[in-house]
Amino acid sequence: MRSNEVTLQQENEQPLDTEVQDTPVPPVIPFYTECSEAAQAQLFNECEEQFAQLEMLQNEIILAEPDSDENPQEQSVNRLTAVAAELKQRQTRRPELLSTNPEVLLVIGAEELQKLNSQLELVLSCSQAKRDPLRETLKREQKWLEKKKKVLGAGTEHVVKQRLENGRLSEHSVLQDTKKKIQKMKDYQNRLMETLADVLAEHFPLPTQETNADKKEKNIPQELNENLISLNEVLELLMNMTLETPHDPYVSIDETFWPPYTEMLLRHGIAQRHPEDCFKIRLETFY
């Protein structure tokens, strides 16, 4: 037996990354490129026998074909039956080798191993090319994961603290806190009302004898009623009626209302008259 053992040489080999210590190095695979003359002659004879058998089977199939006068549908059914029977026989039949010569099988096996080795080298080079971007992506994902873990830990601690604080609060403390808030709002309202009263008293005072005398000098008849109420009292009365009886918030105008102030409230959109009774006014709806 004459054989030439050839060693695979890796051309254009790329150096592996030193960080990856477990990357396997492709092994050197010996294979045979030529067979002996006797093996080649034996393989040639076996191929001739197989071709002769194939021609014989083809002739038998041609002779076994039915006449053209037969129904096409029956022909299709017969062919289908024959193909199914042949398929069943092929499935149960054990495949046979083309040649049993060890030298031929060794050369064929070496060629298959060479092809497989080339494919694996290509897969290895692709994996190495994708490795570095995947490492960078992994680092970024790990940093993102650490940040999210910190945020989750901080949120969990805050929730635990809030639950502990809520557990310490009792019904009495909640009631006291509500009372304090109500009292604070009342105090704030009182301060607003006092400020409003001071502003109205300064800029919108009640008419006095001096102002009445000035109007008499201008020949304007004016009678001063001592029971007049201030503009602050008028507004307070309107607000109380709006809050206490919202279904009927109108206030009747009598001699205690100074007409100039009433007309000012109506003209500036602060109050409005009753649609059916002009002697009743109410606070304008601001909400």
Side-chain angles (χ1 to χ4, degrees), residues 166-219:
N166 293 335
R168 296 191 189 100
L169 294 177
S170 60
E171 294 182 359
H172 180 70
S173 61
V174 173
L175 181 60
Q176 293 297 326
D177 186 51
T178 305
K179 288 182 178 180
K180 289 181 180 179
K181 291 181 179 179
I182 293 175
Q183 186 62 36
K184 187 182 295 185
M185 292 301 297
K186 288 182 177 180
D187 295 340
Y188 180 69
Q189 181 184 5
N190 292 333
R191 289 197 301 270
L192 287 179
M193 295 303 295
E194 291 177 358
T195 304
L196 178 62
D198 294 339
V199 172
L200 294 177
E202 180 178 359
H203 298 282
F204 300 95
L206 286 174
T208 59
Q209 294 294 338
E210 295 177 357
T211 56
N212 191 28
D214 294 338
K215 291 183 179 181
K216 286 182 178 180
E217 292 177 357
K218 295 179 181 180
N219 297 324

Side-chain angles (χ1 to χ4, degrees), residues 33-214:
T33 57
E34 295 182 1
C35 297
S36 62
E37 294 180 357
Q40 291 179 2
Q42 181 182 358
L43 182 61
F44 181 76
N45 293 332
E46 291 177 354
C47 290
E48 289 291 338
E49 292 176 0
Q50 294 293 331
F51 278 117
Q53 186 179 1
L54 182 62
E55 289 180 357
M56 183 181 64
L57 293 175
Q58 187 176 4
N59 293 330
E60 291 179 358
I61 292 172
I62 293 173
L63 294 175
E65 287 184 355
D67 297 335
S68 59
D69 297 338
E70 189 177 354
N71 189 0
Q73 186 175 2
E74 294 180 358
Q75 291 181 6
S76 300
V77 173
N78 294 334
R79 288 179 182 177
L80 179 61
T81 305
V83 171
E86 185 178 358
L87 176 61
K88 184 176 181 181
Q89 184 180 4
R90 291 291 182 183
Q91 289 177 348
T92 57
R93 183 179 177 182
R94 184 176 180 181
E96 298 178 358
L97 297 175
L98 180 62
S99 177
T100 56
N101 191 331
E103 186 177 355
V104 175
L105 296 178
L106 180 61
V107 173
I108 296 174
E111 291 179 356
E112 293 295 329
L113 288 177
Q114 184 183 8
K115 293 179 182 179
L116 180 61
N117 187 37
S118 300
Q119 294 176 358
L120 292 178
E121 287 180 355
L122 181 60
V123 173
L124 178 62
S125 61
C126 293
S127 300
Q128 291 175 351
K130 294 179 180 179
R131 180 181 55 193
D132 293 337
L134 289 177
R135 282 181 177 175
E136 296 296 330
T137 303
L138 179 61
K139 291 180 181 179
R140 291 195 299 268
E141 294 294 334
Q142 288 178 346
K143 291 181 180 179
W144 179 83
L145 181 61
E146 292 297 329
K147 292 181 180 179
K148 294 300 179 182
K149 285 182 177 179
K150 292 180 180 179
V151 173
L152 179 61
T156 305
E157 292 179 359
H158 180 71
V159 170
V160 172
K161 290 181 180 179
Q162 291 295 327
R163 287 179 178 177
L164 293 176
E165 292 179 0
N166 293 335
R168 296 191 189 100
L169 294 177
S170 60
E171 294 182 359
H172 180 70
S173 61
V174 173
L175 181 60
Q176 293 297 326
D177 186 51
T178 305
K179 288 182 178 180
K180 289 181 180 179
K181 291 181 179 179
I182 293 175
Q183 186 62 36
K184 187 182 295 185
M185 292 301 297
K186 288 182 177 180
D187 295 340
Y188 180 69
Q189 181 184 5
N190 292 333
R191 289 197 301 270
L192 287 179
M193 295 303 295
E194 291 177 358
T195 304
L196 178 62
D198 294 339
V199 172
L200 294 177
E202 180 178 359
H203 298 282
F204 300 95
L206 286 174
T208 59
Q209 294 294 338
E210 295 177 357
T211 56
N212 191 28
D214 294 338

